[in-house]
Amino acid sequence: MTPAATLLPVPVLAPLGLAALLLAIAHWLPPRVGDLVAIAAAIAVAALCAWLAMQATHGPIVHWLGGWTPSTSPRPGVVLGISLRADPASAIVASFCAFLFAATFVYAWGAFDEVHAHFHVLMLLFMAAMIGFCLTHDVFNLFVWFELMSVAAFALTAYPLGESALEGALTFTITNALASFMMLAGIGLLYARTGALDFTAIGHAVARLNGDPVLLGAFGLLAAALLTKGAILPFHFWLSDAHAVAPSPVSVIFSGVMVSLGLFGLTKVVTQLFGASTSIAALVHTLFLWLGMATAVVGSLTAWAQRHLKRMLAFSTIAHMGVMLIGLASASAAARGGFLLYLVAHGLVKGALFMIAGILLATRSAAVELQLRGTARALWPLGLVMMWAGLLLGGMPIGLLHGATEILGGAISNRLIAAIILVSTAFTGAAVLRATLRIFFGLGGVAGVERRGPTEHESDMPRPNVWLMTLPCLGLVALASVPREAARSFIELTAIRLAHAPIDMTAVMQRGHLPLAYLGPGTMLVLLGLSLLRRRPTGPFARRMARLEAFPFGALQAAHSGILADYVVWMAVGLALFAVCAWLS
C-alpha cells in the first residue's frame, strides 16, 4: 500500500478522535485550548487533503478498510469491503471543507468559552462527516456520512436554544430527515437490483441494466435527497429558516460548503453510479437544467426582497446553487470543471459575507438592513470588504467566481441560460451592495419590496473581537479575488476525472468572453442605482406601480411561509415531478 493510500483515512479519523478526546477532557482544559486544537486539526486536515489531491492527479488513491479488497471476495465481481477513494476533485473539495472550518474557528475564537469546547466537538464531528462524504466510495457509507453531517448540523442550528433557533432547527431536522429516508430507500432499491454498494460495482451493473425502471426509481430518490441538501427548488425551503437563526460561524459552514456538498455528492452519483445509463443521462440534462434555472431565478428574486442580512444571504445561496446545478446538468466536461471552481469560489465569498453579518449582529445586536442603516460607519473598512464581496458575488469581471461563470457560459453555449445565470447573480450582488451602502455609509433611498421581508430576533457571539474576526473575512475575499488562470490546470484535471472526457479549456474560455458577459455587472449596477434613487411613491400612478412591483415578490414570500407542513408538501411535489419526468423519459 502506498503512503498516500495508508494516510487516506486520517482526514476522517483525526477529527473524530479529537472530538471524542475534547468531549472527555474539555472541563479540565484552559479556555483557549479548544480553539487551538480545532484550528490546528482543521489546518492539518486541509493540508493533508491538498497533498492527497496532488498525488491523485497520477491516478485515484484507494484505501480498503480492514484490508477487505475485491481480491478477498469468494465470488468474482462481488465487493465485500468498504473503500475510501481520493480523486483530485474529491480530495480538493475535502481540503476546501477543512480550510473553511479553520477560517471559521479563527473567526469564532473565544466566543464559546463558557461551554467547554462542546461547540468545537460538534464542529469537528461536522467536518469529519463532510470529509467522509467527499472521500467515500461506498453508497451506503455515503448515507452514513450524510446522516452524521445532518445530525451535527441540527445540533449546531439549535445551539443558541432560543425560540427562533429551535424552530429553524426543527424545520431543518424534519425536512432533512425525510431526505435521509429517501436516500436510504433509494439505496435499498439500488442494492436490490445490482447486489452491490461499491460505486464501481454499481456502475458496472447499471451499464448492464440500462433503462431498468427500478434503477430510475432509485436514482429519483437519491437525487431528491441530495437536492434537498443542495437547496434546489422545490426542496429548498428549509435553508433560509436554518441559516437565519444558526450562530454565524455555523452559517459560514452551511452556506460556504455544506449545501454545495449536496450537489457535489449528486455529481458523483450521476457520473460514477449512473454514468452509463442513457435514460438517466437524459433526465439529468433536461429536468436538472430546468430545476437549476428555476432555482436561480426564485432564489435571486427572493434575496432581493429580504431585509434580514442572513436571510438575504441564504436566498443568495439558493440562487447560486441553481447556477451550480446548471453546470452539473450539462454534458460538457468543461461545465463540470466550472461547477467545481464555482463551488470553491462561492464558498469563499459567501463565507466572508456571513462572517460580516455575524460581526454586525455581535456589535450592533441586529442583522436587519433597515434597522442598521448608518449605524456601522465606524466599521467602514469592514464595509469596503463587504462591498468587494458583493461585487464578486454579482459578477464583477475579476476573480474565481467570474472565471467559473465564464467557463459555464462558454461550455453550455446557450445565450438564454447564460443570461439567466448572469441576471440572477446580479440580483444577489445588488442586494449585498444595497445593504452595504445603507449599513456602513447611510446611503440609499426609501425601502422597496425589502421592507416587507421577514426578520428574526436573535443574538450572536458575546465579547466579539472585531479585528480578529475581520482577518478571516479578508483572507477569504482575497482568495476569491485570485485570477481564474491560477486554477486552470487543476480544473482541467478534476473535470476529466468527473466527466471522463478531455477539455480544450482555451476554447471554452474564449467562448466565455461574450458581450453577454457584461449583462450581469450592468444589471447589478442598474438595480443598485434604482435602489439608491428610490423615493416614496406619492401619486396614484406611482403607488399603482409600487403595488405591481410588490406582487411577484409577495407571492414568493407567501410560498416561503415558514410552515413546516407546507415545506413537506413541496418536497412531495418534487418527488412527483421526478416520477412524471422519469415516466415520460
Side-chain angles (χ1 to χ4, degrees):
M1 188 179 293
T2 64
T6 303
L7 292 173
L8 186 54
V10 173
V12 181
L13 296 178
L16 289 175
L18 283 173
L21 182 62
L22 278 178
L23 185 62
I25 65 174
H27 288 274
W28 294 280
L29 292 176
R32 295 293 185 268
V33 172
D35 292 296
L36 289 171
V37 169
I39 293 170
I43 291 173
V45 169
L48 179 55
C49 289
W51 178 76
L52 289 170
M54 297 306 299
Q55 296 299 310
T57 57
H58 306 294
I61 301 166
V62 180
H63 181 101
W64 291 93
L65 300 175
W68 287 85
T69 64
S71 60
T72 61
S73 174
R75 294 173 56 190
V78 176
V79 179
L80 298 178
I82 298 169
S83 65
L84 297 175
R85 186 176 185 268
D87 54 58
S90 298
I92 203 64
V93 172
S95 179
F96 176 66
C97 290
F99 169 77
L100 199 59
F101 269 93
T104 303
F105 285 135
V106 174
Y107 171 78
W109 176 270
F112 298 96
D113 288 348
E114 71 279 2
V115 291
H116 303 290
H118 290 169
F119 171 80
H120 303 90
V121 169
L122 285 172
M123 289 286 277
L124 288 170
L125 289 174
F126 201 15
M127 181 173 71
M130 287 187 178
I131 293 171
F133 187 84
C134 290
L135 299 180
T136 187
H137 199 61
D138 179 277
V139 71
F140 185 78
N141 280 273
L142 189 75
F143 163 76
V144 170
W145 296 120
F146 180 96
E147 192 66 10
L148 179 58
M149 186 167 31
S150 298
V151 170
F154 302 157
L156 288 165
T157 302
Y159 205 84
L161 294 179
E163 182 180 349
S164 296
L166 291 174
E167 287 178 359
L170 178 63
T171 300
F172 188 5
T173 302
I174 298 300
T175 53
N176 280 259
L178 290 173
S180 297
F181 290 137
M182 290 188 289
M183 191 174 194
L184 191 58
I187 292 170
L189 290 176
L190 201 57
Y191 183 73
R193 205 70 187 94
T194 65
L197 295 172
D198 179 74
F199 280 15
T200 303
I202 291 174
H204 292 156
V206 169
R208 295 193 304 270
L209 300 168
N210 188 19
D212 188 288
V214 176
L215 291 180
L216 273 173
F219 174 75
L221 289 166
L222 283 171
L226 293 168
L227 290 176
T228 301
K229 185 67 74 178
I232 297 297
L233 188 82
F235 304 99
H236 70 288
F237 290 91
W238 63 270
L239 184 138
S240 59
D241 293 338
H243 282 47
V245 297
S248 294
V250 178
S251 296
V252 171
I253 300 300
F254 281 4
S255 260
V257 71
M258 182 195 75
V259 180
S260 53
L261 272 192
L263 296 188
F264 181 68
L266 183 58
T267 303
K268 294 177 71 172
V269 167
V270 168
T271 56
Q272 298 181 20
L273 272 64
F274 297 97
S277 173
T278 55
S279 57
I280 289 175
L283 189 64
V284 168
H285 303 326
T286 53
L287 177 59
F288 283 12
L289 183 63
W290 287 102
L291 286 179
M293 290 190 290
T295 303
V297 171
V298 169
S300 60
L301 292 177
T302 314
W304 177 253
Q306 302 305 307
R307 57 176 173 162
H308 189 275
L309 286 181
K310 292 172 74 174
R311 280 190 176 273
M312 178 187 71
L313 294 175
F315 281 110
S316 166
T317 296
I318 292 170
H320 288 270
M321 290 304 108
V323 175
M324 290 188 210
L325 186 62
I326 291 172
L328 168 60
S330 172
S332 164
R336 300 278 168 82
F339 160 76
L340 287 173
L341 181 59
Y342 207 105
L343 185 155
V344 173
H346 172 265
L348 292 170
V349 176
K350 194 56 62 65
L353 286 170
F354 266 106
M355 288 180 180
I356 293 170
I359 293 172
L360 289 171
L361 185 57
T363 58
R364 300 297 185 268
S365 300
V368 179
E369 176 185 335
L370 303 176
Q371 183 179 343
L372 288 170
R373 182 170 185 163
T375 61
R377 286 188 173 94
L379 299 175
W380 63 266
L382 193 65
L384 295 178
V385 177
M386 185 173 178
M387 183 180 296
W388 184 257
L391 290 170
L392 292 175
L393 196 68
M396 185 179 66
I398 189 172
L400 296 178
L401 196 57
H402 177 73
T405 304
E406 283 202 330
I407 292 170
L408 289 176
I412 295 171
S413 299
N414 183 307
R415 294 206 169 203
L416 174 61
I417 297 174
I420 288 174
I421 292 173
L422 293 170
V423 172
S424 63
T425 55
F427 268 91
T428 64
V432 172
L433 292 175
R434 182 192 69 198
T436 304
L437 293 176
R438 275 192 177 140
I439 294 169
F440 292 95
F441 304 102
L443 302 177
V446 299
V449 293
E450 69 273 15
R451 71 184 183 277
R452 298 183 181 179
T455 186
E456 305 290 343
H457 300 286
E458 80 276 28
S459 59
D460 212 76
M461 298 182 296
R463 303 187 307 277
N465 186 332
V466 174
W467 301 114
L468 180 61
M469 295 166 75
T470 304
L471 285 179
C473 301
L474 287 171
L476 295 181
V477 172
L479 286 173
S481 304
V482 170
R484 66 177 184 182
E485 286 76 12
R488 171 175 172 165
S489 61
F490 193 78
I491 294 169
E492 294 175 350
L493 288 170
T494 52
I496 289 170
R497 302 294 184 200
L498 275 176
H500 307 292
I503 303 171
D504 184 359
M505 190 59 72
T506 301
V508 170
M509 289 183 172
Q510 287 174 350
R511 289 197 300 272
H513 288 287
L514 298 172
L516 193 63
Y518 297 98
L519 177 63
T523 304
M524 176 176 63
L525 294 177
V526 168
L527 288 169
L528 182 61
L530 291 174
S531 178
L532 291 175
L533 298 173
R534 189 181 186 95
R535 296 293 179 262
R536 191 178 304 279
T538 55
F541 178 75
R543 288 196 294 270
R544 203 159 32 242
M545 293 302 296
R547 286 194 295 270
L548 183 63
E549 176 196 20
F551 178 75
F553 293 100
L556 289 173
Q557 296 283 21
H560 298 83
S561 62
I563 300 173
L564 180 57
D566 292 350
Y567 297 172
V568 174
V569 169
W570 279 112
M571 293 180 72
V573 170
L575 271 178
L577 181 63
F578 267 99
V580 170
C581 291
W583 178 69
L584 292 175
S585 66

